[in-house]
Amino acid sequence: MKVSTEPMQNSQVLLNIEMETGEVDKYLDRAYQRLAKRVSVPGFRKGKVPKEVLVRYVGKEALFREALEDLIPEVYAEAVESQEIEPIAEPSFEIVQTEPLIFKAVVPLKPTVRLGDYNQIKIETQPVEVTDAEIDAVLEQLREEHAVLSPVERPVAIGDEVTLDVQEVREGKSIPLRQDLVYEVRAGSRLPLPGFAESLVGISKGEEKEVTLSYPADYEVAELAGKEHVFRVTIKDVKEKKLPGLDDEFARMVGSDNLASLRTRIADAIRARKELMARLDAEKRIMDALVKVGQVEYPPVLVEAEIDRLLVDEARHFAEGVTGLERYLRALGKTMADHREELRADATQRLVRSLVLDEVVEAEKVEVTDSEVEEEIERMVANAGEGAERVREAFNSDDRKESVRRFLKRRKTMDILLERLVVKAG
C-alpha cells in the first residue's frame, strides 16, 4: 500500500491511498464469504456456492462494493496511523480507480487558532444609571396591576374598561363581529383600528353609535392601507379603573416596608437588569474584537455539526421533534436543506467564537476544580424546581460534568477579559 498526503485549506489533509492487487484480494475473499451466506443461488445451498459461480451470479461490481465495506475503513485507519494523522471527525472518501485500487480521503483535523494581541483590546462602556422616571414607570405599572374596576353610571372616558357589542356595517347591512367584548379604552390604541378607542369616549351605557374609521395610508399591511370601515358599537357596561394610592400602604401591598424601600427595590432590579444587558453587550463586543484580531481555520464538518446542534435545539420546541420541525418548514414552503443554509451563518459565527474563546482559556491557563463543577450542578438542581432530580441524574455522567467544566472555564475566562479589557466611559 502506498500512502501520500497533501495539505489542504481549512485544517484538512488529503490522503492518497494506492493498493496492490494482492492486498485487495483478501477483502474480496471476505466479501465472497459474506455474500455466499446471504445470496440464494439456484442449485446451491447458502454458503456452499463456488466463488466463480457467485461472481457470475451477482456480478464483479457487487462483490467489489461488498469488499469496500471492510477495506476502506480498515485501510484508512492504517494510513492515518502510518502518517501520524489525528482526525477529529469522519473523512469523506472518493474512489479514483478500481484496478489498481486508488482512493482519496479528505481528513478533518483539529482547528488552528492564532490569537492576536488581545490584551490591547479596549471596550468602552457607559456607566449604568437608574433615573427617577424609570422607577416611576415601574410604580405606575404596579399600580395598574393592582387597580380596582368599579361600575360607573357615566359616559365612557379614557382609561375605562367597557363591555360592548361590535358590528361592521357593509352596504347598509350589519355583520356581527364580537359580542360582550371586554375592551380597555386606551389613548393611542391601534386595535382594532387606530382611533377606535377615542371614538368610544362620551358614549353612555346602553347607547349605540356608528363609527367610521380608516386605516392609515402607510399602514403596515398594504392590503388594508387607506381602507374605510364603519362600525356599530353598543356599550353594555362601563367600569372605571381606580389605581391604588402611591403611599406606604401600597408599598406594603406589594411586599415592601414603605414607599421609600419599594423605590429602592425597584431601582435595584432595574440596575441589575441594565448591568446584565451591559455585560452581555460587552461580552459580544469582546468576542467580535477577539475574532477580528485572531485567525481561525477549521474543517467544514464542524460547521455542519454546529448546524445539527441548532436543529436539535429547534426541534425541542415541537411536540414531534424533528418531524414537527419538518412539518413546520413545509408549511413555510421550505425544505430541511433550505433551513440548514439559513442556519449556516449563525452556526459559523457560534463555532468561530467558541474556538477563539477556548483558545483564550488555554492562553490564560484557566482551571476549574471538581468542587466548582459540583457547586454549579447543585445550583442548576436548586433552580430546577420539580425537575430537580431529573437535572441531577442528567448531570451524573462524566461527559455532562465535563461540559459543565467547559462552561465554567469559559465564564471564568470572560470574567478575566471583562476586568482587563473594559474601560468605563467618563
Side-chain angles (χ1 to χ4, degrees), residues 149-269:
L149 294 170
S150 302
V152 292
E153 297 297 328
R154 59 160 176 75
V156 177
I158 293 294
D160 288 344
E161 182 181 280
V162 299
T163 303
L164 68 159
D165 292 344
V166 185
Q167 304 175 72
E168 186 174 7
V169 180
R170 296 182 190 173
E171 299 177 353
K173 295 181 180 180
S174 296
I175 302 171
L177 293 180
R178 292 288 298 274
Q179 288 188 320
D180 296 325
L181 172 66
V182 177
Y183 183 82
E184 186 172 355
V185 186
R186 288 194 175 196
S189 174
R190 295 173 63 82
L191 297 174
L193 267 88
F196 182 83
E198 288 80 358
S199 73
L200 302 180
V201 174
I203 306 177
S204 298
K205 180 179 177 179
E207 185 179 347
E208 182 180 277
K209 180 181 178 181
E210 277 196 6
V211 179
T212 302
L213 297 169
S214 298
Y215 285 101
D218 60 349
Y219 194 68
E220 51 265 29
V221 182
E223 294 78 6
L224 298 176
K227 286 194 174 180
E228 187 177 87
H229 291 263
V230 180
F231 296 100
R232 183 173 290 139
V233 296
T234 303
I235 301 298
K236 303 177 77 171
D237 192 28
V238 182
K239 291 180 180 178
E240 182 180 57
K241 183 185 291 184
K242 293 184 178 180
L243 301 180
L246 194 56
D247 50 26
D248 290 346
E249 183 179 348
F250 171 68
R252 286 190 288 273
M253 183 192 305
V254 295
S256 292
D257 294 334
N258 50 50
L259 185 58
S261 64
L262 176 58
R263 291 185 69 90
T264 300
R265 193 180 92 192
I266 291 171
D268 290 344

Side-chain angles (χ1 to χ4, degrees), residues 32-79:
Y32 156 67
Q33 296 294 337
R34 289 198 301 271
L35 286 174
K37 293 176 183 178
R38 296 203 312 261
V39 176
S40 296
V41 179
F44 296 92
R45 286 183 297 164
K46 283 187 178 181
K48 300 299 182 179
V49 58
K51 184 176 180 180
E52 297 77 11
V53 175
L54 181 67
V55 172
R56 286 199 303 270
Y57 188 76
V58 301
K60 287 184 178 181
E61 289 187 4
L63 182 66
F64 187 72
R65 286 196 302 270
E66 182 76 18
L68 290 181
E69 291 187 11
D70 281 347
L71 185 152
I72 286 182
E74 290 185 15
V75 171
Y76 166 73
E78 293 176 19

